[in-house]
Structures are given as C-alpha cells and as structure tokens.
Amino acid sequence: MKVVVIGNGMVGYKFCEKLKSMAPSVELIVFGEEIRPAYDRVHLSEFFAGKTADDLTLAGLDWYQDNNIRLHLGDPVQSIDRTAKTVHSHKGIIESYDYLVLATGSAAFVPPIPGVDKQGVFIYRTIEDLEMMNAHARKAKTGAVIGGGLLGLEAAKAMLDLGISNTQVIEFAPRLMPRQIDDAGSNILRNKLEMLGLKIHTSKNTSEISGGESITGMQFSDGTSIEVDMLVISAGIKPRDELAKLCGLETGSRGGIVVDEKLQTNDPSIFAIGECALYSGMIYGLVAPGYEMASVVAENLASLPRTGGVVPFGFKEITNIAEFSGPPPSGGRVAFTGYDMSTKLKLIGIDVASFGDPFLTGENIRTVVFEDTMKGIYKRINISADGKELLGGVLVGDAEQYNMLLQTCKNKLVLPPNPEDLVLGSRGGENLAGAGVQGLPDEAMICSCETVSKGAICNAVSELACETMDAIKKCTKAGTGCGGCVPMVKDLMLYTMKSQGKYIRNILCEHFNYSRQEMFDLVKLHELKTYNEVLDKLGKGDGCELCKPPVASILASLWGEMILKKGNDTAQDSNDRFLANIQKGGTYSVVPRIPGGEITPDKLIVIGQVAKQYNLYTKITGGQRIDLFGAHLNDLPDIWGQLIAAGFESGHAYGKSLRTVKSCVGSTWCRFGLHDSVSYAIRIEERYRGLRSPHKLKGGVSGCIRECAEAQSKDFGIIATEKGWNLHICGNGGSKPQHALLLAADLDDETCIKYIDRFLMFYIKTADTLTRTATWLNKMEGGIDYIRNVVVNDSLGMAQAWEAEMQTLVDCYKCEWKEAIENPEIKKRFNHFVNAPEVKDPTVKFETMREQKKVADWK
Amino acid sequence: MITLTDQKKITWFAACQISDVPANGGVCVKYGDEQIALFHFARRGEWYATQNECPHRKQMALSRGMIGTQEDEPKVACPFHKKTFSLATGQCLTGDECNIKTYPVKTEDGKVFIGIEGGL
C-alpha cells in the first residue's frame, strides 16, 4: 500500500507516527510546504522565550529516514489528479498513491481591512512569521494584536517576550476569548492582563491600518485611533482547502474539506485530517482532535488487508470486518465522532480553562459561581437541575481542579451532595470533594493528546510493572504531549500501586534491594571497603549510575579513605571522579577552600595569577569563595599544584559534602559583634571539610542577632548570643527555602561542636540519597523535637559513638587534590585523550563577555 | 548498518594499553579528528566503544560517564544530564535522544584495538 500525505504539520506528523507504528511496511511519502520538518505549533510563543526552532521540532530528519518515510520539504503539492491517482508538486515531482491524506492545516484569517499589506503587519502562524516579527520588533516600540481569542492572546504574549511592553489587544467581540469563557470570567482575565501591562479594547472594529509604506497607526469604526508600529493579526483561522477545491472534492461553504466519521472525503481514496477537515459542519482548531483524526485514519488504513501492497477494492465498500483477509484489527474499525473542545491553557502565566458547555443557562440548569476579584480568580460550574451531573464550566486564575472537573463532566460521574465543594474545596468535615482518581471509570480519557484511558494507565502499572513516570510515558505515551495530565497520571500510578498492597520503599535501584539507610548499616556491619565488594555482597548485576554515587558516598562517610583509590574512582559520580565540577562545554571549575571566607592578599594574588595563566573566568560564589571556570581537564593537576603550593586545598565544591561555613566579620571588627564568628566558622569548616554526606552541606556563623551570615538558611547555623551560641539546624536556601530551627541555645564552643557532630552523623546514617537536611527533617516523625531528643538528650544512646566516629573522620582528613597530584596512577586520569595526553579537547570553544571568557552556548 | 551477510571491511587501530583504561570506566580515544569513548566493563569482562559526543547537548563527555547495566543491558550515563545509552547497540535508554554510534573492540597482547568500518 502506498500512502501520500500532503502537509507536514503536527497532525500530518502524528499520522505518520501512528501509521508507521501500526504498519511499518507501508510506503509513505510526505510533502511539506515549510522548509522545516513538523514542529510544535502549540508552543510557538516559546520561540521568543528562548526556545530554538530545533527545540520545537517534533522529530528530526533522521526519524523520517529511520522509518523509511520520504519527506519532501519546501515543496508544496500543486495539484491532485484523482483519476490517475497522482499528486504533482511545485518542484515537478509526480507521485502516485493508493490513499491520499490531506493534512494541509489552516492559514491565518486576515480580515479585508485597508492597509493590511503594510510593512510591520504580521500574521502569527509559522516559525518564518516569528522570525520576521523578531526582525521587525527591534525597531518597534508600540504593538497591537487584532484578535482577543486564544491565539491572539498568545501573540500578545509573544509581543511582550519580544520586549514590546506597550502592547494593545483589539477584540471585535464584547469580551476576550468569546468562544471559551463567559463575560464574568472574561472580565477577570482582562483585569489580570491589564495588570501585566497589556491594554485591552473590546467591541472594537478596525476600519483602517494607516501609514505610508510601514504601519504607523490604526483607525477604528467608532472614530478613535491609536498609534502603533507593529501589528499582529490573529483573528481566526481558515482551512487550507484550495487543493481540495481544485480537484473537485466537496468543501463547505465557509471553507473546510467535508469528511465523514472515517475522515473520508467524497473520494474514497482521499482523507482529510486536522484543521483543514470539516466534520459535521465543524472545524476543529485544536491539536488534540487533530491527533484523534490522525489516529482514526492511521488505524483504519493499517487494518486493511495487504494483498500485493494494493487494496483490491474501494475502502468505503468494506462494511463487514469479516471481509478482511488479514487478522481483524484490535477494536475493529474506528470512527471520529466529534471531539470535546474542553481546553486548559496558561496565558501569560494566567490559567484559563473551559470544559463541557461553559455557557449553559436556563431553568433546568443550576450554576455555581465563585469570584474573587482581589486574587483574580473566577470559577463557574453548570450543573443539571437534579444536582447530579456536571455539564460544563469555566476556570480563570486557578485551574487546578480542571482535570478532575473535566473527567467528572465527561464521564457523567454522580456529583457529591455539595457540588460547590468541587470548586471551593471541602470546607470543614472530612469528606473530600468528589471521589478523586479512584472514582473515575476505566474508560476515562486521562491523556487526550495521546488518547490514553485510565484503564490503560492502571494496567501499565499493575500488569506491565511500570512504576515510574518514565516507564509509564514510555509504555503508554501518556503525558508526552502537552504534559497537562502528568499530575493525574502520577496519582493514578501511586493509587494503583497502593491498591496492590505495594509498600513504596525507596530502594537504591535494580541492583540493590535496600534503602540507603539499610545499605549504610550493612556496609558497616560487613566492613566493605570498595564498590565492587558492596555489589558482590549486597547487590546483584553490575551496578549503574543510580547506585554508584550513594554507595561511594557511604564508603567515604564510613571509612574516610581517599575516594579515588581501590577502584572506587569509577564508582564516583563524574564530578567526584575528576574532583571538579563539569561545566557547559566539558571544561571544569576549580574552587579552592577559603574557610569562613577569610583570605590574605597574597592568596588572592595567587588565585589571580593562576586564573590569568590558565585563562579562567573568575566569579565570587554565594559561599564566600572564588570559583575559577573553564579549566581543561588536562590543566587541572597543574592548576591545583600551584594552588596547593600556595597553601590552598580542595574546596569539595564537586562533592556531596561540606561546602562552606559562611561568616560575618564578627566581634574583631564589627561594633555590634558579640563573638568572633570568623574564627569559629574557620574552626567548624576545617573540622567537617571533606565529610561525605547524602547531599551537600552548608554552614554559617553570625556574630550577632543581625544574622549577616544568613546562618538560618544553612544546614547548620550558629548565631552568637550574650551567653554563647544558638545552634539552628536543617535550614535550606534553593528552590524551597526553609528556615533552620533552633536545636539548642546559649552553648559554649565545645558543646556546640559536639551537637553538630551528633546531628551530622545522625543525618548521614539515616537520610535517603540526595536528601538535604531540611527534607530529612520534614520527613522525620516527631520532627525537631525528636531530633533534639536524640542529639541533645541522647535518647538513642548513640552520642558517644557518633562523636568518636566523627573524630575518626576528622583525624583522617587529607586534601584529595594533594593526594591526586602526588599519585601518578590517579594523576594520569586527568587527560582528555588517553592516546594523546598532551592534546586538549579541540571541540571546546570560548567567547568573550565583559572582558572575560565564557563558554559557547550549547546547541 | 552492518549485518552478518553484509560485513564491510573493518580496520583495527591500536588505541592504548589495557592498563590505560580504568576498570569499569572509560577513556577518550583520539582517532584523527574523531573522539571515541572506550570503556572497560571489567565486571563483565567486556570492552565497548562509542562516539564520545552525547547527542543531547552535543558535549564530548560520554567517556567520563558512569557505566552500568539496566536489566543486563550494558549502558553509559552522560555526566551532564544522565541520559543513558546502551553500550551494545548505542540506543538511547532515557527519552528520545538520538542513538549513538558504536564500534567493535578487541584486545591482543595487552593492547586495545578499536575497529573502524572502512578504515583510514
């Protein structure tokens, strides 16, 4: 069978993917008008937010090649000969077909306003359009968009991203997004957009675009006008049906290729899918229904008998599955029966969603509305008069409940006695609104981009043992389209696992059936010293990147031996293996330890000299030290040799280990300082330097309550009081900042260090891999009170042992870099090429920025 | 693609000594302007070679990655974003990155040889 596809947009691509997955041997030829293979048009505006055309590409050219698809890009088909069953392309290619699929999509609808042909007037449809907008935007100061619908607002966001902060939206209808949301929702949306700096005009009809060669302004039919030097028209779409018309296929009076529920046109060999298809009087201008159409046609074509490659009779005549000579396709012949146009999107950071019929009113309809003009939230649900069925609704400003509401609506789930709980949340009482994911029927469509039902997801978890999101994505494709269903898929996964009585245990990976905590105790008990011994004794198989770093970390925490010895080098995470952080481009950064942030002028000069000699980019870090970037792997031993000769040592910036103990200048200089915070910070940093732990560790010491060292954002933070030190633990900066909690007050120097010893050992022994102290605390039953009981009151009787263990680690500390450069076996690993040690990686490229080098951006 | 019936001529070039490659780890080999990642999977008594460039962000880094197995499939994890690739087939095991090129490897007299299709 030979299939020709005209159009290589999202839907055309999806058709190829579906057909090739079901019938790999089909001969498939694709003609595309654009010069790029199909890309993600839904996320087009991200092009301005930094994504490249490549990022948006759905599948690279090699995908087409690998799947044996002949792709002609930049070569639009110009005519179809239905009698000869051939298509004729612009470049003169003539291709015959058994079946032809039209996926020609749509074009922007441009209203016939005088002046639309002026320079500076754009449509918003393809990457080329965007590139032209980009070029023009550099000289534009004021922008406007005609169209306040979904695409128009996307275009307005694109204008903001292009730096045109003075942008106006012109909508003909009395409200924004007239097809999706009601007046009240639209008002909330409008307020929010205006707060972001967009100017919105509704009920406004553009009568003329003024200017000479280029646009300078717009005139409206109400006599008003505005000045503007860039305009994007996004007033709707019109189906690309010109080819179909030309060859006499039936088209609708307002455009669109007429198709039946098989997406078949009036020529049984020709199908139309996506935005060019007119099904039951309707054009579906969203990607999900387009994908559904692509699936329907692909499945029906794939299920045809393949005798000699050509189907002996017209497709339309096959009415009985029994007439197929091949095995019947799964589920029999499929049909497109319309599509729910519910949608949820984020417009310039504002959630907007509508589902079912959002506009229902009348005697038989009950409506629940929640409106908060302060926060800019509007929610409306339409319910049947008996209060049992959800018929539709609108969400603006907060669409968290969208997935659940959509499922409730689509599956006609019986509503709870207080349906308002669906949008307001349960207030008081214990019953949660609705029944959650478990209440959904198996047929409930969870991922509409890839048409994956609840049943299919639960089945993947229970029968095919997919117990991670990655596994589920791979197996069912759910969540791989727009990604909106991912939270729900995750809930379903956890729910299914739980219902199977699965105890969700944090084992390291497939090679070790133990948690990190269990591993720690077992490695200690068996006195295992190398990764291979641990794997032989406690695990199975040959290890992987998930278990190697935690095991290597446990070995280092327990025995304090040089991490690159005894064959443990290749068990280290890559940064630990090379004792440096790998950076973009493959070079490394060098971070010498500067305890407490105190450094002499001579040492500063050495850092400057080394940076100059090896042409390194220098920057002060957040932890009061200096980072030197852009070192070739080959140069690391020499760089460290010089630094060590000048009295520096490794800063362990590459390890899950103590980073810095930050300090304020303290009582030596500061008129408010109570104690010498710098001396104490240095003492503490030098005590715990090199200590390997489940995650990185940071400390801080402040000389008074003004807290200039920000100690309360650290894993352990010490603040001077009149009587001693207050010790706070388990603070965190990062993405989820959390203040450290007070463990004990008014401690003397020695007691404070004792408590930190115990606290750190407790953490190292019991935390999961890559868990910071803040998360460890949050998961700990009993919280800070329990930890205080263990650390201060010694409720487990471990205090002495932990202090001794910590002292052993402190005593066996050695600078890793010193050992590395003194050991020829280790030193020789710091070469890029094993067979050309003198050659540095020639692919590394630098650029200049503010008089220093920077690495060339990655592709 | 190489199949048993359609095997092209392989040229073997001496990359380094066996002892130059860390057990259960990799090194990068220079072959003209090409960079080849060479791995000694000592636990399995196996040698593998692949392109050194990770196709995800086009970084010359795979030789510095950790190796291991996934359901007995030998693999390497790129140090940058931990994308993993089969050492045996070059197939990407995480997500949709392109597959990587693999090369045959043999050892003789303490030396490691990498096989190049067609050769110099």
Side-chain angles (χ1 to χ4, degrees):
Chain A
M1 176 163 51
K2 183 172 174 186
V3 179
V4 171
V5 181
I6 304 180
N8 187 228
M10 296 181 81
V11 171
Y13 161 74
K14 181 57 66 176
F15 171 78
C16 296
E17 185 197 294
K18 292 277 179 192
L19 184 62
K20 276 292 180 181
S21 71
M22 292 183 265
S25 62
V26 166
E27 191 181 352
L28 189 53
I29 298 109
V30 181
F31 288 89
E33 184 178 61
E34 290 186 60
I35 52 167
R36 292 188 175 79
Y39 51 85
D40 183 354
R41 240 184 267 277
V42 175
H43 296 102
L44 207 54
S45 67
E46 291 176 17
F47 185 74
F48 292 131
K51 285 216 171 175
T52 64
D54 277 355
D55 291 335
L56 294 172
T57 302
L58 295 175
L61 291 175
D62 42 355
W63 180 84
Y64 294 90
Q65 215 159 33
D66 293 348
N67 285 285
N68 230 343
I69 299 169
R70 291 216 304 282
L71 176 63
H72 301 287
L73 289 177
D75 192 9
V77 167
Q78 297 208 302
S79 62
I80 300 165
D81 182 340
R82 286 168 49 199
T83 324
K85 291 180 102 175
T86 52
V87 299
H88 301 247
S89 84
H90 177 72
K91 289 183 184 164
I93 299 174
I94 298 175
E95 197 72 70
S96 67
Y97 63 82
D98 295 322
Y99 292 103
L100 179 64
V101 177
L102 300 173
T104 45
S106 66
F109 165 68
V110 180
I113 305 166
V116 285
D117 51 350
K118 289 190 194 308
Q119 279 178 26
V121 180
F122 300 91
I123 53 171
Y124 185 77
R125 187 77 196 146
T126 65
I127 288 186
E128 264 75 49
D129 296 335
L130 268 61
E131 281 170 346
M132 287 191 285
M133 281 170 67
N134 207 358
H136 187 84
R138 281 183 215 129
K139 7 177 218 186
K141 290 196 181 64
T142 52
V145 175
I146 295 185
L150 206 147
L151 267 176
L153 295 177
E154 277 283 322
K157 171 178 172 12
M159 298 276 257
L160 292 179
D161 285 338
L162 280 170
I164 304 175
S165 51
N166 185 354
T167 293
Q168 320 200 23
V169 175
I170 322 288
E171 169 59 46
F172 180 70
R175 63 167 189 263
L176 294 175
M177 299 187 71
R179 293 172 71 168
Q180 285 89 11
I181 57 179
D182 60 3
D183 282 336
S186 183
N187 279 336
I188 292 277
L189 177 64
R190 179 183 184 140
N191 288 342
K192 289 206 108 176
L193 292 171
E194 282 177 340
M195 278 198 301
L196 291 169
L198 284 175
K199 201 160 177 197
I200 314 274
H201 307 271
T202 48
S203 305
K204 204 87 163 163
N205 192 5
T206 312
S207 55
E208 194 186 331
I209 295 164
S210 47
E213 214 167 89
S214 299
I215 176 173
T216 55
M218 296 166 70
Q219 310 279 337
F220 304 110
S221 54
D222 60 5
T224 55
S225 63
I226 57 170
E227 278 181 21
V228 59
D229 44 24
M230 180 168 175
L231 171 67
V232 176
I233 297 180
S234 189
I237 57 170
K238 69 170 193 262
R240 296 279 305 266
D241 56 7
E242 56 272 20
L243 264 181
K245 270 188 185 143
L246 206 64
C247 68
L249 292 178
E250 192 188 338
T251 54
S253 55
R254 288 160 64 196
I257 307 162
V258 176
V259 292
D260 63 9
E261 72 280 5
K262 300 286 188 296
L263 289 318
Q264 213 157 12
T265 65
N266 58 320
D267 180 332
S269 308
I270 304 182
F271 299 81
I273 55 177
E275 291 179 339
C276 66
L278 183 69
Y279 170 73
S280 172
M282 173 137 176
I283 296 284
Y284 288 83
L286 289 178
V287 72
Y291 279 4
E292 171 72 14
M293 293 179 190
S295 292
V296 168
V297 178
E299 195 165 322
N300 285 333
L301 286 182
S303 64
L304 288 177
R306 265 163 265 145
T307 42
V310 180
V311 183
F313 41 76
F315 181 50
K316 205 147 201 179
E317 281 79 63
I318 311 171
T319 47
N320 183 350
I321 194 87
E323 286 181 43
F324 282 86
S325 57
S330 58
R333 291 181 57 186
V334 288
F336 181 81
T337 51
Y339 201 88
D340 178 56
M341 292 297 274
S342 302
T343 181
K344 174 190 161 189
L345 61 154
K346 229 184 181 63
L347 279 170
I348 323 183
I350 304 164
D351 279 332
V352 180
S354 77
F355 57 93
D357 187 337
F359 305 120
L360 282 176
T361 49
E363 276 177 26
N364 294 326
I365 305 297
R366 286 169 52 196
T367 302
V368 178
V369 172
F370 169 79
E371 188 172 1
D372 180 344
T373 52
M374 259 312 275
K375 289 186 184 157
I377 295 172
Y378 174 80
K379 299 176 182 182
R380 162 183 174 169
I381 49 174
N382 308 321
I383 297 166
S384 61
D386 59 7
K388 288 205 171 124
E389 202 180 317
L390 179 63
L391 302 170
V394 176
L395 304 168
V396 177
D398 171 12
E400 212 191 309
Q401 296 113 335
Y402 171 75
N403 277 330
M404 206 55 226
L405 288 172
L406 175 64
Q407 295 297 346
T408 307
C409 177
K410 273 211 251 186
N411 297 296
K412 302 192 171 19
L413 297 187
V414 175
L415 292 175
N418 301 314
E420 69 273 18
D421 289 357
L422 287 173
V423 285
L424 299 178
S426 178
R427 288 139 299 123
E430 285 179 10
N431 293 331
L432 285 171
V437 284
Q438 58 266 49
L440 298 175
D442 276 354
E443 315 75 69
M445 198 55 68
I446 304 297
C447 172
S448 38
C449 297
E450 293 289 341
T451 339
V452 189
S453 65
K454 172 188 168 183
I457 292 166
C458 294
N459 187 59
V461 178
S462 58
E463 305 304 317
L464 306 170
C466 295
E467 295 181 351
T468 63
M469 262 319 287
D470 271 353
I472 292 178
K473 279 183 179 174
K474 219 168 185 177
C475 172
T476 65
K477 294 206 126 189
T480 58
C482 70
C485 64
V486 167
M488 201 166 222
V489 176
K490 210 164 176 183
D491 283 350
L492 277 173
M493 177 183 87
L494 292 175
Y495 156 75
T496 310
M497 285 169 71
K498 229 171 154 183
S499 66
Q500 289 176 302
K502 277 207 174 139
Y503 161 53
I504 302 166
R505 200 156 147 264
N506 265 330
I507 60 165
L508 284 191
C509 69
E510 64 178 66
H511 304 105
F512 291 98
N513 199 20
Y514 298 108
S515 67
R516 183 186 175 279
Q517 187 174 355
E518 291 164 333
M519 288 291 292
F520 190 98
D521 292 335
L522 288 166
V523 171
K524 187 176 179 193
L525 185 73
H526 295 289
E527 293 188 32
L528 305 172
K529 299 286 173 75
T530 70
Y531 176 77
N532 274 330
E533 283 171 22
V534 175
L535 188 51
D536 291 339
K537 182 88 192 169
L538 307 174
K540 58 172 195 273
D542 299 304
C544 68
E545 77 280 1
L546 297 175
C547 58
K548 283 183 168 186
V551 169
S553 164
I554 288 170
L555 290 169
S557 294
L558 275 172
W559 317 119
E561 293 179 317
M562 164 63 181
I563 61 168
L564 301 183
K565 287 185 177 167
K566 296 190 174 173
N568 285 336
D569 54 342
T570 51
Q572 304 294 338
D573 208 338
S574 174
N575 284 348
D576 271 307
R577 181 173 163 204
F578 295 105
L579 304 178
N581 285 335
I582 196 164
Q583 307 289 352
K584 264 183 180 178
T587 60
Y588 287 87
S589 60
V590 170
V591 190
R593 185 166 296 291
I594 300 177
E598 183 186 83
I599 186 164
T600 62
D602 282 338
K603 278 184 152 180
L604 270 178
I605 289 168
V606 171
I607 289 188
Q609 281 167 339
V610 169
K612 244 181 156 169
Q613 183 180 342
Y614 293 93
N615 184 25
L616 305 175
Y617 167 83
T618 52
K619 187 177 186 307
I620 311 282
T621 71
Q624 298 186 335
R625 44 194 193 173
I626 299 169
D627 209 337
L628 301 100
F629 289 86
H632 279 276
L633 184 60
N634 308 44
D635 288 335
L636 286 176
D638 291 345
I639 291 171
W640 276 105
Q642 292 197 28
L643 291 171
I644 287 166
F648 285 104
E649 60 181 356
S650 169
H652 298 97
Y654 45 80
K656 302 298 174 216
S657 54
L658 180 80
R659 298 289 170 83
T660 69
V661 179
K662 187 174 176 176
S663 70
C664 68
V665 75
S667 59
T668 47
W669 290 92
C670 176
R671 66 189 194 280
F672 300 116
L674 295 171
H675 308 309
D676 180 1
S677 49
V678 179
S679 298
Y680 200 46
I682 293 173
R683 180 175 169 196
I684 290 173
E685 182 160 341
E686 291 185 337
R687 181 170 182 80
Y688 303 118
R689 63 189 165 185
L691 176 70
R692 290 304 202 279
S693 48
H695 210 310
K696 63 184 171 188
L697 288 169
K698 297 177 176 181
V701 182
S702 277
C704 77
I705 195 64
R706 286 171 190 77
E707 243 285 65
C708 296
E710 298 166 326
Q712 288 168 98
S713 66
K714 308 296 183 197
D715 296 280
F716 51 92
I718 301 157
I719 301 169
T721 66
E722 297 280 349
K723 298 177 206 153
W725 304 104
N726 279 356
L727 175 59
H728 303 254
I729 58 165
C730 302
N732 201 356
S735 62
K736 271 179 120 184
Q738 184 170 324
H739 271 138
L741 299 177
L742 183 68
L743 182 75
D746 298 327
L747 306 170
D748 60 54
D749 287 9
E750 304 310 315
T751 312
C752 185
I753 283 178
K754 259 189 197 175
Y755 286 175
I756 302 174
D757 278 2
R758 298 175 189 176
F759 154 65
L760 289 178
M761 288 313 286
F762 187 28
Y763 162 65
I764 289 170
K765 288 172 87 80
T766 58
D768 275 333
T769 300
L770 296 180
T771 302
R772 291 289 297 268
T773 56
T775 317
W776 172 70
L777 166 76
N778 298 345
K779 285 186 186 167
M780 176 87 64
E781 229 167 285
I784 185 73
D785 294 327
Y786 178 71
I787 297 179
R788 187 179 297 113
N789 220 12
V790 172
V791 171
V792 177
N793 304 329
D794 192 16
S795 62
L796 297 179
M798 291 299 293
Q800 231 182 341
W802 287 346
E803 284 168 39
E805 282 168 13
M806 183 62 86
Q807 193 56 47
T808 312
L809 291 174
V810 171
D811 293 340
C812 67
Y813 166 81
K814 283 186 190 134
C815 170
E816 284 159 4
W817 263 112
K818 188 159 186 286
E819 287 190 87
I821 55 177
E822 284 171 355
N823 182 328
E825 273 309 299
I826 296 178
K827 194 177 168 187
K828 81 171 187 189
R829 300 291 178 214
F830 292 88
N831 283 321
H832 184 67
F833 291 116
V834 68
N835 56 342
E838 69 290 349
V839 181
K840 295 173 189 174
D841 182 357
T843 63
V844 173
K845 296 273 181 289
F846 296 110
E847 295 163 0
T848 305
M849 186 192 232
R850 290 187 293 278
E851 294 168 62
Q852 291 205 69
K853 74 174 177 186
K854 97 184 221 319
V855 70
D857 233 348
W858 55 25
K859 294 150 206 169
Chain B
M1 195 187 292
I2 307 171
T3 62
L4 285 173
T5 50
D6 174 31
Q7 198 149 22
K8 297 220 178 86
K9 191 177 171 296
I10 302 268
T11 307
W12 296 95
F13 88 94
C16 59
Q17 302 291 324
I18 286 179
S19 58
D20 288 337
V21 186
N24 302 304
V27 292
C28 175
V29 175
K30 186 172 178 349
Y31 177 72
D33 288 337
E34 265 181 77
Q35 298 196 14
I36 300 173
L38 172 66
F39 302 95
H40 183 198
F41 210 146
R43 278 192 70 88
R44 297 163 65 95
E46 291 164 353
W47 288 84
Y48 293 100
T50 68
Q51 67 186 57
N52 192 32
E53 184 186 75
C54 175
H56 172 224
R57 287 293 187 178
K58 312 268 186 287
Q59 302 283 305
M60 287 295 181
L62 291 180
S63 60
R64 301 178 200 168
M66 284 178 275
I67 61 172
T69 53
Q70 176 176 323
E71 285 160 11
D72 217 39
E73 177 87 11
K75 62 171 179 174
V76 59
C78 176
F80 277 93
H81 304 95
K82 298 282 189 298
K83 302 274 176 191
T84 58
F85 301 89
S86 161
L87 289 169
T89 66
Q91 196 199 339
C92 180
L93 305 172
T94 37
D96 306 319
E97 294 309 322
C98 304
N99 298 342
I100 56 171
K101 201 168 154 187
T102 60
Y103 303 82
V105 185
K106 65 177 182 184
T107 56
E108 257 172 46
D109 300 332
K111 281 201 180 74
V112 191
F113 295 84
I114 298 176
I116 307 285
E117 211 177 288
L120 283 162

